[in-house]
Amino acid sequence: MVLFDLDGTLTDSSRGIINGIQYVLSKFGMQEQSRERLLEWIGPPLADSFRTYCSLDEHEARQAETVFREYYIRQGMYENAVFPGIPQLLDKLWQRGTPMLVATSKYTPIAESILEHFGLRPYFIGVVGNNEAAPAGKVEVVETALSKWKSAVDRNVVMVGDRKHDIAAAHANGIASAAVAYGFGSAEELHNAQPTYMVDSVDELGKLLLV
């Protein structure tokens, strides 16, 4: 069974996320000129990034996250692109009968909408993300994904992601991990997270998963 992260793994969502963050910062009277620096925000729960990079308290971080989500639902989620080769890889895995899930820090309805928009949703037996009532970290998201599909857990399981949080979640849940260096995490970040496997391209990922 393969668990896929969404941002930076299946899609290049950088434009919509960065535009959304800059929109939120302007509402809070702040700005960040470096789009490269904002790439560091992509992957972890957004409220955590607002606390870390903007020194917002818990209440302010949740407010900022709400403003971001309003922008993202309105237009940001469509300022996005599927990485070349991903649809073909998913199709090959699906034809082989490999169970696939999306495990993301995004809110589940948004993740579902993005996958539907790009025609990827039919490949996945489930989408597990965050919910507004009880936000969870990536460890809990992966744990939930595994617990909901117990019949498939007896198979070999690998978590595919582009940030250290994906690798840490795999370690915490006792499954293998594949770090993809074509996403938003730096090579140093991914090496330090000690993934089971590391690949540089979608082509290499296919060679790993289709053995």
Side-chain angles (χ1 to χ4, degrees), residues 105-122:
S105 293
K106 264 185 163 48
Y107 282 92
T108 304
I110 293 178
E112 291 270 14
S113 295
I114 291 169
L115 293 167
E116 290 283 359
H117 177 74
F118 288 111
L120 303 181
R121 182 61 181 86

Side-chain angles (χ1 to χ4, degrees), residues 169-186:
H171 287 323
N173 283 281
I175 61 174
S177 57
V180 296
Y182 60 78
F184 301 127
S186 67

